[in-house]
Each structure stands twice: as C-alpha cells, then as structure tokens.
Amino acid sequence: MNQENVNNAAPERYARVLTWNIHRAIGSDLRYDLDRIINLIKPHDPDIVALQEVDSRGKDQTNLPLAALRKVLGSHTAEARTIVAPDGHYGHVLISRWPMHDVNIHELHVSKRETRCAIEATIESPFGYIRVIAAHLGLRPNEIRPQLDVFEPLVRGDPDADPSIMPGGLLMMGDFNDWHGRVRSTLTTLIPTHTMQRTFPSWRPMLNLDRIYCRPGRALLRSWIDTTARRASDHLPVYAEVDLAAMAMERAPANLAIPQAVAN
C-alpha cells in the first residue's frame, strides 16, 4: 500500500477494550513480573485498558509500572492512587491510545475501609467521543450503596452538557467485586449489556467479578477471556470488541436514575 492510500484509509470502526486486576503483577508463583503482564496483553492489541492493583511501591523509581505500561498500551493515561507511601503508590489506571478529556477521579471511600476510586474520562476515538468509567469497588456489602450513589451522576451524565461532546455511549469497566450480585442487578437496568465470563479465581474461575458494561448494548459485539494468563494474576483478563460508531452516535438518556441499592 502506498503512502497516499495509508493516509486516506478510513478509521477503524471497532475497538478492543480490556479490564484486568493484575494483582500487583504478582502471579500464582508468587513472582513479581510486570513483563509477563505486558506480554500477555500485547497480542490482543487493546485500544482502551483498565488495570487494577497497579503497584509502584518498592520499585525502581526510574522504571515505574505505569511508565512501562504506557510504552506498550497507549500514551494517554489517568491514574487513581488509592494508597500513597514514601516508596511509591498503589491504585488503578486507565490507558488509551486516543486522547482523553475531562478526566475526573471520583472517591468511593467508605470510612474505615480501603480507599476506592472511579476514573471518569471522555475518550476522543476516531468515530467521536465516548465516556469511560474505570472502577475498583469494595469487597464488603456495606460499601455498595454509597458507591452506587456515586455512580448515579456518572452513568446519567450531565443533562446540560453539549450533546456533541457528552455522548450517551458509555463503557464502565473494572473489578466490581460483586460477590453478592447487587452491583449487577443495579447496573444492568442502566447499562443494558455486560460481559459474562467468570474471572476469579484465575486457576478455577467461578465468579464474574471483572466486567465490561456497554451502552448502547448493540455496541458490545463480542467478549472473551485469556486463560493463558491464569498464572500471572489471581484474576483473568476480560476483553471486548465494541462498535465505536454505535457508541459515538448514542445520546445520554434523559432522567436516567439508579434505583436505590437495598441495605443490609
């Protein structure tokens, strides 16, 4: 293909997205190996990546994990640092090969529990803007209601925003720690389609904790897990292929509200 044809090529309509709790890059062999994580991801060539439990504590400060991940996965990043220590930090990241706008870190912290956050960003894909929310939710049932309360304005979006830059197309991805099913039962009424693969524990998956939610539902074309990653983390990675054109054309539904989660 000559250079003129390359320059005039139509943008790719479909994107691959990934969510993975990498367990600080420590595998079932108890060995820290970030290169193993990167080498498992590379063949899938994802465009948007959410990684949980990214840990730079005690690492070489001239070669931090996020810097290594950026070199391979995309130069546009957002980071939620939930633990900050003298020798580094810990949290989760959102990485994109396309520009990010309006990045916000939303605190989901419940008193006396591990700090949790959600990353919200608008990603400028070749077919237009889509919103992405990357989350790592708490383990305990009493954390769910306040966390879902934070999700309400995120899923609904700003009703006063210019629709050309506030599309209704939405990806919500991450480790939802939904042992009890309350997150699924709530979010499914708002974001119609999500991945169904079991991801935890990686060596014998029984629970669907790691998910990619998609609005509109028709934009989620297929999804899969990579079982060859079972030794790299205690979670398996979830990949999905999404239709960027369908997502960019979607408009945020009016008066969308999250039903109240039932308290214990």
Side-chain angles (χ1 to χ4, degrees):
M1 183 180 290
N2 62 37
Q3 188 63 44
E4 181 179 359
N5 287 338
V6 170
N7 292 338
N8 292 333
E12 178 60 54
R13 174 170 177 164
Y14 305 107
R16 286 186 173 183
V17 300
L18 159 66
T19 185
W20 192 8
N21 183 327
I22 64 171
H23 195 240
R24 297 173 289 145
I26 297 175
S28 59
D29 53 6
L30 304 182
R31 182 165 57 91
Y32 172 81
D33 192 344
L34 186 64
D35 288 338
R36 175 167 57 184
I37 297 291
I38 291 172
N39 289 333
L40 283 163
I41 294 174
K42 283 170 62 177
H44 297 272
D45 194 27
D47 302 288
I48 301 172
V49 176
L51 298 178
Q52 301 83 49
E53 296 193 17
V54 178
D55 196 353
S56 69
R57 293 172 296 178
K59 307 297 186 299
D60 179 1
Q61 297 300 297
T62 64
N63 186 29
L64 293 175
L66 183 55
L69 293 165
R70 287 184 63 173
K71 288 179 182 178
V72 177
L73 303 180
S75 59
H76 305 281
T77 61
E79 186 176 19
R81 298 180 178 182
T82 56
I83 298 175
V84 177
D87 61 342
H89 50 269
Y90 165 95
H92 62 108
V93 300
L94 179 64
I95 305 172
S96 170
R97 66 176 48 181
W98 303 308
M100 290 188 195
H101 305 279
D102 302 322
V103 175
N104 290 291
I105 308 299
H106 301 273
E107 192 170 296
L108 306 175
H109 181 56
V110 176
S111 179
K112 298 183 180 180
R113 301 296 183 195
E114 179 183 338
T115 301
R116 303 287 182 171
C117 294
I119 303 170
E120 179 192 24
T122 300
I123 292 180
E124 187 178 349
S125 83
F127 273 79
Y129 295 97
I130 60 173
R131 287 200 306 132
V132 179
I133 299 169
H136 189 188
L137 300 192
L139 282 165
R140 299 181 181 274
N142 65 351
E143 297 179 77
I144 297 304
R145 179 167 182 171
Q147 290 174 351
L148 289 176
D149 285 345
V150 174
F151 280 153
E152 179 176 352
L154 301 186
V155 175
R156 187 193 314 116
D158 183 354
D160 298 322
D162 181 345
S164 67
I165 59 173
M166 178 54 76
L170 175 65
L171 289 171
M172 182 178 285
M173 50 206 294
D175 177 1
F176 291 89
N177 271 320
D178 193 18
W179 309 81
H180 32 70
R182 291 167 60 193
V183 176
R184 181 182 62 250
S185 62
T186 298
L187 291 183
T188 299
T189 64
L190 306 163
I191 312 176
T193 303
H194 64 83
T195 57
M196 301 290 290
Q197 289 82 4
R198 296 177 181 180
T199 58
F200 183 87
S202 59
W203 52 91
R204 189 180 179 184
M206 300 178 66
L207 297 171
N208 171 226
L209 302 185
D210 308 274
R211 303 174 191 153
I212 299 169
Y213 286 84
C214 186
R215 187 176 71 208
R218 69 182 185 277
L220 182 59
L221 302 177
R222 64 188 185 101
S223 62
W224 65 97
I225 55 174
D226 183 357
T227 57
T228 66
R230 62 170 58 93
R231 295 190 61 191
S233 170
D234 59 347
H235 291 245
L236 290 175
V238 181
Y239 294 88
E241 187 174 85
V242 298
D243 184 336
L244 293 172
M247 295 198 72
M249 291 171 58
E250 184 77 358
R251 292 291 171 257
N255 301 318
L256 185 63
I258 289 184
Q260 291 294 321
V262 178
N264 282 348

